[in-house]
Amino acid sequence: MRVYNDVKVEPNKGREILPVGGYVAKVQQAVVENTDYGEKLVIYFDIAEGPHAGFFRNDYQVQTQEDKKWRGVYRMYLPKDDGSEKDGWSKRTLGGVIWAFENSNNGYHWGWDENTLKGLSVGVLFRNKEWEMNGNTGWTTECCKLIDSDSVRKGKFKMPKDKPLDRGSTYQNKANGLLDDDGDLPWN
């Protein structure tokens, strides 16, 4: 191998992951997005209290790639009003989100305008989630539920279970020998 100039010998730190748990967050923005499936409420937030305050702003600022991503996000599909079981689940979830905001912000009343969420506080729960990309897997955390801020402050909440990969995934099938692999390796 030839000698390269300006090679810094230092550890590759990777991205810091927010630990599993409950946090009090402040909404930075909320929007409704249209998708192929239907409308989705997207709430962008940052941690507002405790030792991890400003976590997602810091995470965003240290990203060096062109397509920087804000990782403090809660997403939920909105009800379609079609009477399906999924629609009932969506309505219950939306009702819980509205309750979380109303009970976290004294005097706030939901008026069917997502823009009114900006600047409000809410409790967010982060659970472990297994990921897969290009044949690799690992664990990260994700925001999976909104609750009232006081429950977070008092530690009175039940943590959602970890979310492992669906074992029918491509990675798992390949790892279990269920997909063809020609065995050609680049260093053979």
Side-chain angles (χ1 to χ4, degrees):
M1 177 187 293
R2 70 182 178 94
V3 175
Y4 295 91
N5 294 325
D6 300 323
V7 174
K8 295 180 181 176
V9 181
E10 55 189 31
N12 185 350
K13 294 180 183 179
R15 183 172 72 88
E16 187 178 350
I17 304 296
L18 188 67
V20 168
Y23 300 90
V24 175
K26 181 178 178 183
V27 175
Q28 306 298 306
Q29 184 169 356
V31 296
V32 173
E33 295 178 351
N34 290 312
T35 70
D36 291 341
Y37 177 76
E39 290 185 323
K40 180 171 45 173
L41 176 62
V42 182
I43 300 171
Y44 299 91
F45 61 85
D46 202 355
I47 306 303
E49 298 177 10
H52 295 286
F55 182 88
F56 292 109
R57 178 174 302 282
N58 294 338
D59 174 72
Y60 186 79
Q61 289 174 339
V62 299
Q63 293 177 45
T64 56
Q65 72 275 17
E66 280 186 41
D67 62 338
K68 293 167 73 165
K69 292 181 176 46
W70 186 271
R71 293 187 172 99
V73 183
Y74 176 80
R75 296 177 177 91
M76 69 160 292
Y77 282 102
L78 295 172
K80 292 184 176 184
D81 263 342
D82 61 8
S84 67
E85 184 178 337
K86 227 178 218 181
D87 194 56
W89 182 86
S90 293
K91 286 181 178 182
R92 286 187 301 279
T93 302
L94 179 58
V97 167
I98 293 168
W99 179 89
F101 278 106
E102 288 183 345
N103 284 279
S104 296
N105 299 277
N106 193 21
Y108 175 75
H109 180 70
W110 175 247
W112 301 103
D113 180 0
E114 69 278 3
N115 295 306
T116 64
L117 299 176
K118 184 175 181 175
L120 296 182
S121 294
V122 70
V124 294
L125 298 184
F126 275 75
R127 70 173 168 201
N128 284 316
K129 178 185 177 187
E130 191 176 15
W131 56 266
E132 171 190 353
M133 189 162 111
N134 300 327
N136 297 310
T137 65
W139 288 87
T140 190
T141 56
E142 71 171 352
C143 179
C144 63
K145 188 173 185 177
L146 302 184
I147 64 172
D148 66 292
S149 300
D150 282 340
S151 291
V152 171
R153 288 182 187 109
K154 295 174 183 174
K156 298 201 179 259
F157 56 88
K158 182 178 177 187
M159 277 304 301
K161 294 179 183 176
D162 290 352
K163 186 176 180 184
L165 284 172
D166 175 4
R167 294 305 175 211
S169 71
T170 302
Y171 174 80
Q172 288 299 321
N173 287 334
K174 192 169 188 175
N176 294 330
L178 300 175
L179 296 178
D180 290 336
D181 186 357
D182 62 6
D184 287 340
L185 301 175
W187 56 85
N188 286 342

